[in-house]
Amino acid sequence: FVSQHMRLAAFIGLASCLSESQASFVCSPTKTPFRTLGQRRCDPPQQQQSQLVRTPSLGIEYCSRCNWMLRSAWLGQELLTTFNASLAEVRLLPNAVEAGVFNVTLTTEGAGSVLVWNRAEEGRFPEAKELKQRVRDVLDPDFSLGHSDVAQRLGEPASETGTARVALERLVSLFRGEGRRRRL
């Protein structure tokens, strides 16, 4: 009965309340790359190791009070899927201090930290396609994004073929009878 309580305490992170002999009973050595040899699972991570950032690294800072974690995780998954051979890590960085923050930062060895997207400056959230294009432009400008790739690069005007305005104009022209009609 006592050992079940100690294991439960270690599981939920209360192992620091246990004595050394109890903690060694509950915690076992682990072989993860972020812990030193002989460090137990319940030991707090060393300050030096938490500062380690593998590059290239993408950080998505989001407002946790606005509940933007799912959007951040989805965009992170999209970027990891697209750049699985190029990105070393994607970090989700909740921010409960600044309201409405949503920043995407790419850290590389050559370019340092580059702000890829800032919701306050852009006035909106990024589409997955345009975020992939901006990350690609910093990581590897020659990398092809396949069907979602366009000739647009940073600083060039956007293409008019796939915008919402063009789609709306086509829809209005169909309602007016200006477009082709289908035979039934």
Side-chain angles (χ1 to χ4, degrees):
F1 180 75
V2 174
S3 66
Q4 289 176 344
H5 279 80
M6 284 189 276
R7 287 186 182 154
L8 180 62
F11 179 74
I12 59 174
L14 301 175
S16 60
C17 302
L18 303 174
S19 70
E20 184 61 27
S21 62
Q22 291 171 331
S24 63
F25 170 78
V26 175
C27 304
S28 60
T30 184
K31 295 180 180 176
T32 61
F34 299 105
R35 292 186 176 90
T36 59
L37 186 62
Q39 186 179 11
R40 296 183 310 268
R41 256 187 215 126
C42 60
D43 288 343
Q46 295 178 359
Q47 187 70 9
Q48 186 179 31
Q49 290 175 343
S50 66
Q51 301 293 330
L52 179 65
V53 175
R54 299 180 303 166
T55 57
S57 169
L58 189 93
I60 302 175
E61 181 184 13
Y62 64 94
C63 177
S64 58
R65 293 185 292 165
C66 299
N67 294 322
W68 290 341
M69 182 184 67
L70 289 176
R71 180 186 306 260
S72 304
W74 172 71
L75 285 170
Q77 176 265 324
E78 285 288 322
L79 292 166
L80 272 176
T81 302
T82 303
F83 301 103
N84 61 358
S86 302
L87 280 176
E89 67 182 8
V90 171
R91 294 174 288 125
L92 297 180
L93 308 164
N95 186 338
V97 178
E98 284 184 67
V101 67
F102 190 87
N103 297 326
V104 179
T105 306
L106 182 63
T107 305
T108 61
E109 289 182 13
S113 290
V114 176
L115 184 63
V116 177
W117 190 271
N118 183 341
R119 184 184 156 275
E121 290 177 8
E122 302 286 338
R124 63 185 175 84
F125 287 101
E127 296 288 331
K129 174 183 171 179
E130 64 186 331
L131 192 58
K132 288 177 185 181
Q133 290 170 349
R134 289 189 183 189
V135 168
R136 182 264 324 264
D137 290 344
V138 175
L139 266 183
D140 184 10
D142 296 328
F143 181 75
S144 173
L145 293 174
H147 70 281
S148 66
D149 201 10
V150 293
Q152 179 184 356
R153 301 281 192 219
L154 286 177
E156 293 181 9
S159 170
E160 288 291 321
T161 58
T163 63
R165 186 181 59 132
V166 171
L168 184 61
E169 287 173 359
R170 288 181 187 162
L171 186 62
V172 169
S173 70
L174 286 174
F175 282 130
R176 289 183 181 160
E178 297 168 3
R180 292 185 292 170
R181 293 185 183 204
R182 296 170 76 187
R183 289 187 176 171
L184 298 176

